[in-house]
Amino acid sequence: MTEQHHVDYLLGLGDDALIYAQRLGEWLTHAPQIEEDMALGNVALDLVGQARALLTHAGEVEGADPVRDEDDLAMLRHEREFRNVQLVEQPRGDFAHEMARLLWFSTYQRELYTAVLTSTDETLAGVAAKAVKEVDYHRDHATQWVLRLGDGTQESHDRMQAALVAVHPYVAELGEDHDAARWAAEHRVGVLPSSLTDAVNAYVVGVLEQATLAMPDAPRWHARGGRAGVHSEVMGYLLAEMQHLHRSHPGASW
Amino acid sequence: MYGNDFGQPGATDSRAGAPPHPLNAAETPDYTDALAEYFDGLIEQDQRVEPRDAMPEAYRTTLIRQMAQHAHSEIIGMQPEANWITRAPSLRRKAILMAKVQDEAGHGLYLYSAAETLGVDRSELLDKLHSGRQKYSSIFNYPTLTWADAGAIGWLVDGAAIMNQVPLCRCSYGPYARAMIRVCKEESFHQRQGFEILWVLARGTKEQKAMAQDAANRWWWPALQMFGPPDTGEHASTGHTAQSMAWGIKRFSNDDLRQKFVDMTVPQAQKLGITLPDPDLAWNEERGHWDFGAIDWDEFWRVLKGDGPCNEQRIRTRVEAHDEGAWVREAADAYAAKQAARHEQGAVA
Amino acid sequence: MTSGTWPLWEVFVRAKRGLSHVHAGSLHAPDREMALRNARDLYTRRQEGVSIWVVASEDITASSPDERDSFFDPAADKVYRHPTFYDVPEDVEYL
């Protein structure tokens, strides 16, 4: 019997990776130095790889007839069916915004993948074993840049601080529990997002301190609902761009 | 260009800056007869010239110009393909395209690195690109209008580039030759993935087939122009070719390479079921080569001089990225200086 | 300071265990930590390496072409340094 919570849990992880890869892909040809085009390209490629493995597995667990493959899930689901957090769908900002987002997201992903290394879902554990090394590098990359921007020039410090404030309303959602995660934690398939929060915060606090940056105050509002398919208005445009070619040619192979 | 060097009629290139440090110092202020004899001997014996060898100033400037144009082509060449990353029709294609665009960035960096062994700074070369004083391959001034264009670029543009680049692996200048070996190894993946895109489209729906054919129609002639002006006749280039061949920078003439490319590509097009847009294309039994129609060199020069559909856009995008990144690069410099100072203080204390 | 003039670093890559690091090329980076990371992304995308060194280009002293004759030619006539210089009977093993 299909356990919808299991599918939803995997979709949440896969969609985070997919949608963030989509945003990072926009950086290629726009990075501050050609070496950084290479670096952001690597991060995006790692995330596409994670998304493909996770979506493929979600389709298998779902067991629809016929089974939905990675492209069915990426290209043919509607906005309300995407289970990513809102952080990853936000439009590309300046380089400081990207490093703020990458620092939070990669730190979260690192704690997450570390925790699911022992998942009873062996496929997920396998994905995590590979991904944990990748996101460790992403976190390092973000850390290096946050240090340089925070402790660089006055302008870069101000931009980095402003970026942290701008990104902050989207951070709490990473640690919010939801039904699929509660099921996953109970069945030792996954973990409760809230169980990762302390470790994530501790790492980011350490980086910000070293970078002479301040952790922003608690925001007045914060994003919520991504895991239940509730997104920000930008998501529709992101999907329109990502899906239009595939959807324009129903049933075609690529 | 794109591994091919020629100048616009009347174009001159100012001499590159003085070499800043010993590893890459290549300037030869007093190019004596004895040094010339040594250099000529290297070329004659098909030996490689290395960064600190004495070399004729014209050899050095020719190489800097060619490597810079080649590097610029890789960097600008990222744009038409990056245009499809967010819209790639499958996740597999998205990953391949990202990896490919990233490779182009890498190739640009290998080539800038090779150019820098001649004592010129990359930022100086980028300035020349941004201000239009150095060119890049004109092929990238055409737009990628459909997904099939990603395939056509891989198949035709990278195919033509490889034709140009393989001989450069034996270029007389060591760092350039070594960079090209690395590039060529990676480039063959690019050509194959492009062919594969078109292969799938050509076997797909009616719309997909039409998309593939349309892309081939638009990219075929610009791809032939990539080999540069003809060797002879009224459209011939201003004549770097003979000197470059004598120096072992260039190994085959433009027309020879173009013919090789046509001979290689026509059977591939037949295999794909794509019709190349040239009614004069015919096998010539006597020559043992494919004959092809006249190339529109007026269009070539027009696009090269700036009047192509995307010239302005490509440079604007590049300059914007560079300018918007200035504060980031400055921040990293400032941080490095602070760290160095802290280090020194720590050492004293 | 002008932007875009990060210093140049030379990159050396060990392709696999048991081999020396070999010069792969150069790149720009603001400092040694970033140089190492950029080298990883640029020169080992296809598993070309298991270890990387980066050295600031300006810290390398290279032998000069002017000294070519005095540096390297004197070795040319010392053929006795090479094993093939010696005549030994063909049927002696492990030699």
PDB file of all heavy atoms in Angstrom, chain B residues 290-310:
ATOM      1  N   TRP B 290      33.179  17.179 -50.640  1.00  0.00           N
ATOM      2  CA  TRP B 290      31.875  17.776 -50.898  1.00  0.00           C
ATOM      3  C   TRP B 290      32.079  19.203 -51.391  1.00  0.00           C
ATOM      4  O   TRP B 290      32.810  19.976 -50.781  1.00  0.00           O
ATOM      5  CB  TRP B 290      31.019  17.789 -49.631  1.00  0.00           C
ATOM      6  CG  TRP B 290      30.485  16.426 -49.297  1.00  0.00           C
ATOM      7  CD1 TRP B 290      31.100  15.472 -48.542  1.00  0.00           C
ATOM      8  CD2 TRP B 290      29.235  15.864 -49.717  1.00  0.00           C
ATOM      9  NE1 TRP B 290      30.327  14.347 -48.475  1.00  0.00           N
ATOM     10  CE2 TRP B 290      29.161  14.559 -49.185  1.00  0.00           C
ATOM     11  CE3 TRP B 290      28.169  16.335 -50.499  1.00  0.00           C
ATOM     12  CZ2 TRP B 290      28.079  13.714 -49.401  1.00  0.00           C
ATOM     13  CZ3 TRP B 290      27.077  15.494 -50.709  1.00  0.00           C
ATOM     14  CH2 TRP B 290      27.043  14.196 -50.169  1.00  0.00           C
ATOM     15  N   ASP B 291      31.405  19.531 -52.510  1.00  0.00           N
ATOM     16  CA  ASP B 291      31.363  20.928 -52.949  1.00  0.00           C
ATOM     17  C   ASP B 291      30.266  21.628 -52.165  1.00  0.00           C
ATOM     18  O   ASP B 291      29.255  21.005 -51.815  1.00  0.00           O
ATOM     19  CB  ASP B 291      31.010  21.013 -54.443  1.00  0.00           C
ATOM     20  CG  ASP B 291      32.173  20.547 -55.327  1.00  0.00           C
ATOM     21  OD1 ASP B 291      33.327  20.578 -54.840  1.00  0.00           O
ATOM     22  OD2 ASP B 291      31.914  20.145 -56.477  1.00  0.00           O
ATOM     23  N   PHE B 292      30.461  22.895 -51.895  1.00  0.00           N
ATOM     24  CA  PHE B 292      29.387  23.636 -51.231  1.00  0.00           C
ATOM     25  C   PHE B 292      29.285  25.043 -51.796  1.00  0.00           C
ATOM     26  O   PHE B 292      30.190  25.517 -52.492  1.00  0.00           O
ATOM     27  CB  PHE B 292      29.566  23.651 -49.705  1.00  0.00           C
ATOM     28  CG  PHE B 292      30.922  24.116 -49.232  1.00  0.00           C
ATOM     29  CD1 PHE B 292      31.111  25.439 -48.856  1.00  0.00           C
ATOM     30  CD2 PHE B 292      31.991  23.238 -49.166  1.00  0.00           C
ATOM     31  CE1 PHE B 292      32.353  25.875 -48.419  1.00  0.00           C
ATOM     32  CE2 PHE B 292      33.242  23.668 -48.732  1.00  0.00           C
ATOM     33  CZ  PHE B 292      33.417  24.989 -48.358  1.00  0.00           C
ATOM     34  N   GLY B 293      28.165  25.696 -51.488  1.00  0.00           N
ATOM     35  CA  GLY B 293      27.859  26.988 -52.102  1.00  0.00           C
ATOM     36  C   GLY B 293      28.668  28.141 -51.538  1.00  0.00           C
ATOM     37  O   GLY B 293      29.470  27.972 -50.606  1.00  0.00           O
ATOM     38  N   ALA B 294      28.439  29.323 -52.098  1.00  0.00           N
ATOM     39  CA  ALA B 294      29.212  30.503 -51.701  1.00  0.00           C
ATOM     40  C   ALA B 294      28.758  31.004 -50.327  1.00  0.00           C
ATOM     41  O   ALA B 294      27.567  31.045 -50.027  1.00  0.00           O
ATOM     42  CB  ALA B 294      29.024  31.606 -52.738  1.00  0.00           C
ATOM     43  N   ILE B 295      29.736  31.359 -49.533  1.00  0.00           N
ATOM     44  CA  ILE B 295      29.451  31.886 -48.195  1.00  0.00           C
ATOM     45  C   ILE B 295      29.273  33.396 -48.283  1.00  0.00           C
ATOM     46  O   ILE B 295      29.987  34.073 -49.031  1.00  0.00           O
ATOM     47  CB  ILE B 295      30.613  31.525 -47.243  1.00  0.00           C
ATOM     48  CG1 ILE B 295      30.654  30.007 -47.043  1.00  0.00           C
ATOM     49  CG2 ILE B 295      30.483  32.254 -45.915  1.00  0.00           C
ATOM     50  CD1 ILE B 295      31.869  29.503 -46.314  1.00  0.00           C
ATOM     51  N   ASP B 296      28.329  33.909 -47.526  1.00  0.00           N
ATOM     52  CA  ASP B 296      28.043  35.341 -47.534  1.00  0.00           C
ATOM     53  C   ASP B 296      29.043  36.067 -46.637  1.00  0.00           C
ATOM     54  O   ASP B 296      28.806  36.260 -45.441  1.00  0.00           O
ATOM     55  CB  ASP B 296      26.600  35.562 -47.044  1.00  0.00           C
ATOM     56  CG  ASP B 296      26.193  37.034 -47.115  1.00  0.00           C
ATOM     57  OD1 ASP B 296      27.077  37.888 -47.347  1.00  0.00           O
ATOM     58  OD2 ASP B 296      24.999  37.321 -46.923  1.00  0.00           O
ATOM     59  N   TRP B 297      30.158  36.482 -47.227  1.00  0.00           N
ATOM     60  CA  TRP B 297      31.202  37.118 -46.405  1.00  0.00           C
ATOM     61  C   TRP B 297      30.843  38.533 -45.982  1.00  0.00           C
ATOM     62  O   TRP B 297      31.359  39.040 -44.991  1.00  0.00           O
ATOM     63  CB  TRP B 297      32.551  37.078 -47.132  1.00  0.00           C
ATOM     64  CG  TRP B 297      33.043  35.679 -47.208  1.00  0.00           C
ATOM     65  CD1 TRP B 297      33.163  34.892 -48.316  1.00  0.00           C
ATOM     66  CD2 TRP B 297      33.436  34.852 -46.090  1.00  0.00           C
ATOM     67  NE1 TRP B 297      33.600  33.627 -47.963  1.00  0.00           N
ATOM     68  CE2 TRP B 297      33.779  33.578 -46.611  1.00  0.00           C
ATOM     69  CE3 TRP B 297      33.512  35.049 -44.717  1.00  0.00           C
ATOM     70  CZ2 TRP B 297      34.193  32.519 -45.798  1.00  0.00           C
ATOM     71  CZ3 TRP B 297      33.936  34.010 -43.907  1.00  0.00           C
ATOM     72  CH2 TRP B 297      34.274  32.763 -44.447  1.00  0.00           C
ATOM     73  N   ASP B 298      29.941  39.151 -46.738  1.00  0.00           N
ATOM     74  CA  ASP B 298      29.508  40.488 -46.316  1.00  0.00           C
ATOM     75  C   ASP B 298      28.797  40.398 -44.982  1.00  0.00           C
ATOM     76  O   ASP B 298      29.002  41.222 -44.092  1.00  0.00           O
ATOM     77  CB  ASP B 298      28.585  41.114 -47.373  1.00  0.00           C
ATOM     78  CG  ASP B 298      29.349  41.415 -48.654  1.00  0.00           C
ATOM     79  OD1 ASP B 298      30.582  41.615 -48.550  1.00  0.00           O
ATOM     80  OD2 ASP B 298      28.736  41.426 -49.733  1.00  0.00           O
ATOM     81  N   GLU B 299      27.954  39.369 -44.850  1.00  0.00           N
ATOM     82  CA  GLU B 299      27.266  39.174 -43.569  1.00  0.00           C
ATOM     83  C   GLU B 299      28.285  38.919 -42.462  1.00  0.00           C
ATOM     84  O   GLU B 299      28.190  39.450 -41.359  1.00  0.00           O
ATOM     85  CB  GLU B 299      26.282  38.007 -43.651  1.00  0.00           C
ATOM     86  CG  GLU B 299      25.677  37.707 -42.280  1.00  0.00           C
ATOM     87  CD  GLU B 299      24.801  36.456 -42.225  1.00  0.00           C
ATOM     88  OE1 GLU B 299      23.872  36.368 -43.028  1.00  0.00           O
ATOM     89  OE2 GLU B 299      25.068  35.581 -41.373  1.00  0.00           O
ATOM     90  N   PHE B 300      29.267  38.096 -42.781  1.00  0.00           N
ATOM     91  CA  PHE B 300      30.295  37.767 -41.796  1.00  0.00           C
ATOM     92  C   PHE B 300      30.968  39.018 -41.245  1.00  0.00           C
ATOM     93  O   PHE B 300      31.045  39.232 -40.031  1.00  0.00           O
ATOM     94  CB  PHE B 300      31.330  36.842 -42.443  1.00  0.00           C
ATOM     95  CG  PHE B 300      32.531  36.578 -41.571  1.00  0.00           C
ATOM     96  CD1 PHE B 300      32.459  35.693 -40.513  1.00  0.00           C
ATOM     97  CD2 PHE B 300      33.738  37.215 -41.835  1.00  0.00           C
ATOM     98  CE1 PHE B 300      33.571  35.453 -39.710  1.00  0.00           C
ATOM     99  CE2 PHE B 300      34.851  36.974 -41.035  1.00  0.00           C
ATOM    100  CZ  PHE B 300      34.764  36.093 -39.978  1.00  0.00           C
ATOM    101  N   TRP B 301      31.437  39.883 -42.156  1.00  0.00           N
ATOM    102  CA  TRP B 301      32.132  41.098 -41.706  1.00  0.00           C
ATOM    103  C   TRP B 301      31.183  42.036 -40.979  1.00  0.00           C
ATOM    104  O   TRP B 301      31.559  42.694 -40.006  1.00  0.00           O
ATOM    105  CB  TRP B 301      32.782  41.827 -42.891  1.00  0.00           C
ATOM    106  CG  TRP B 301      33.958  41.075 -43.451  1.00  0.00           C
ATOM    107  CD1 TRP B 301      34.065  40.540 -44.703  1.00  0.00           C
ATOM    108  CD2 TRP B 301      35.191  40.754 -42.764  1.00  0.00           C
ATOM    109  NE1 TRP B 301      35.282  39.898 -44.847  1.00  0.00           N
ATOM    110  CE2 TRP B 301      35.991  40.015 -43.678  1.00  0.00           C
ATOM    111  CE3 TRP B 301      35.695  41.008 -41.488  1.00  0.00           C
ATOM    112  CZ2 TRP B 301      37.255  39.528 -43.351  1.00  0.00           C
ATOM    113  CZ3 TRP B 301      36.959  40.525 -41.155  1.00  0.00           C
ATOM    114  CH2 TRP B 301      37.720  39.796 -42.084  1.00  0.00           C
ATOM    115  N   ARG B 302      29.945  42.073 -41.456  1.00  0.00           N
ATOM    116  CA  ARG B 302      28.945  42.942 -40.831  1.00  0.00           C
ATOM    117  C   ARG B 302      28.727  42.510 -39.373  1.00  0.00           C
ATOM    118  O   ARG B 302      28.755  43.332 -38.455  1.00  0.00           O
ATOM    119  CB  ARG B 302      27.627  42.846 -41.627  1.00  0.00           C
ATOM    120  CG  ARG B 302      26.489  43.669 -41.082  1.00  0.00           C
ATOM    121  CD  ARG B 302      25.312  43.768 -42.079  1.00  0.00           C
ATOM    122  NE  ARG B 302      24.740  42.474 -42.462  1.00  0.00           N
ATOM    123  CZ  ARG B 302      23.940  41.750 -41.668  1.00  0.00           C
ATOM    124  NH1 ARG B 302      23.630  42.189 -40.479  1.00  0.00           N
ATOM    125  NH2 ARG B 302      23.459  40.586 -42.087  1.00  0.00           N
ATOM    126  N   VAL B 303      28.533  41.210 -39.165  1.00  0.00           N
ATOM    127  CA  VAL B 303      28.276  40.711 -37.804  1.00  0.00           C
ATOM    128  C   VAL B 303      29.522  40.883 -36.934  1.00  0.00           C
ATOM    129  O   VAL B 303      29.451  41.278 -35.775  1.00  0.00           O
ATOM    130  CB  VAL B 303      27.815  39.241 -37.837  1.00  0.00           C
ATOM    131  CG1 VAL B 303      27.671  38.693 -36.413  1.00  0.00           C
ATOM    132  CG2 VAL B 303      26.499  39.106 -38.577  1.00  0.00           C
ATOM    133  N   LEU B 304      30.680  40.619 -37.545  1.00  0.00           N
ATOM    134  CA  LEU B 304      31.929  40.753 -36.781  1.00  0.00           C
ATOM    135  C   LEU B 304      32.121  42.187 -36.297  1.00  0.00           C
ATOM    136  O   LEU B 304      32.596  42.435 -35.199  1.00  0.00           O
ATOM    137  CB  LEU B 304      33.122  40.319 -37.642  1.00  0.00           C
ATOM    138  CG  LEU B 304      34.445  40.216 -36.883  1.00  0.00           C
ATOM    139  CD1 LEU B 304      34.476  38.959 -36.021  1.00  0.00           C
ATOM    140  CD2 LEU B 304      35.636  40.220 -37.832  1.00  0.00           C
ATOM    141  N   LYS B 305      31.713  43.127 -37.151  1.00  0.00           N
ATOM    142  CA  LYS B 305      31.907  44.536 -36.801  1.00  0.00           C
ATOM    143  C   LYS B 305      30.837  45.052 -35.852  1.00  0.00           C
ATOM    144  O   LYS B 305      30.855  46.220 -35.476  1.00  0.00           O
ATOM    145  CB  LYS B 305      31.946  45.394 -38.065  1.00  0.00           C
ATOM    146  CG  LYS B 305      33.258  45.242 -38.816  1.00  0.00           C
ATOM    147  CD  LYS B 305      33.229  45.974 -40.144  1.00  0.00           C
ATOM    148  CE  LYS B 305      34.504  45.709 -40.919  1.00  0.00           C
ATOM    149  NZ  LYS B 305      34.354  46.055 -42.339  1.00  0.00           N
ATOM    150  N   GLY B 306      29.888  44.215 -35.487  1.00  0.00           N
ATOM    151  CA  GLY B 306      28.944  44.642 -34.459  1.00  0.00           C
ATOM    152  C   GLY B 306      27.485  44.621 -34.856  1.00  0.00           C
ATOM    153  O   GLY B 306      26.607  44.736 -34.015  1.00  0.00           O
ATOM    154  N   ASP B 307      27.209  44.458 -36.145  1.00  0.00           N
ATOM    155  CA  ASP B 307      25.828  44.530 -36.604  1.00  0.00           C
ATOM    156  C   ASP B 307      25.229  43.128 -36.734  1.00  0.00           C
ATOM    157  O   ASP B 307      24.753  42.732 -37.778  1.00  0.00           O
ATOM    158  CB  ASP B 307      25.775  45.284 -37.948  1.00  0.00           C
ATOM    159  CG  ASP B 307      24.352  45.523 -38.405  1.00  0.00           C
ATOM    160  OD1 ASP B 307      23.415  45.293 -37.614  1.00  0.00           O
ATOM    161  OD2 ASP B 307      24.172  45.937 -39.565  1.00  0.00           O
ATOM    162  N   GLY B 308      25.275  42.380 -35.633  1.00  0.00           N
ATOM    163  CA  GLY B 308      24.618  41.071 -35.604  1.00  0.00           C
ATOM    164  C   GLY B 308      23.478  41.144 -34.613  1.00  0.00           C
ATOM    165  O   GLY B 308      23.408  42.092 -33.819  1.00  0.00           O
ATOM    166  N   PRO B 309      22.594  40.150 -34.629  1.00  0.00           N
ATOM    167  CA  PRO B 309      21.407  40.234 -33.782  1.00  0.00           C
ATOM    168  C   PRO B 309      21.715  40.319 -32.282  1.00  0.00           C
ATOM    169  O   PRO B 309      20.934  40.910 -31.541  1.00  0.00           O
ATOM    170  CB  PRO B 309      20.628  38.957 -34.108  1.00  0.00           C
ATOM    171  CG  PRO B 309      21.508  38.122 -34.967  1.00  0.00           C
ATOM    172  CD  PRO B 309      22.588  38.985 -35.521  1.00  0.00           C
ATOM    173  N   CYS B 310      22.830  39.771 -31.828  1.00  0.00           N
ATOM    174  CA  CYS B 310      23.054  39.736 -30.371  1.00  0.00           C
ATOM    175  C   CYS B 310      24.347  40.410 -29.904  1.00  0.00           C
ATOM    176  O   CYS B 310      24.691  40.310 -28.723  1.00  0.00           O
ATOM    177  CB  CYS B 310      23.033  38.302 -29.860  1.00  0.00           C
ATOM    178  SG  CYS B 310      21.477  37.459 -30.116  1.00  0.00           S
TER     179      CYS B 310
END
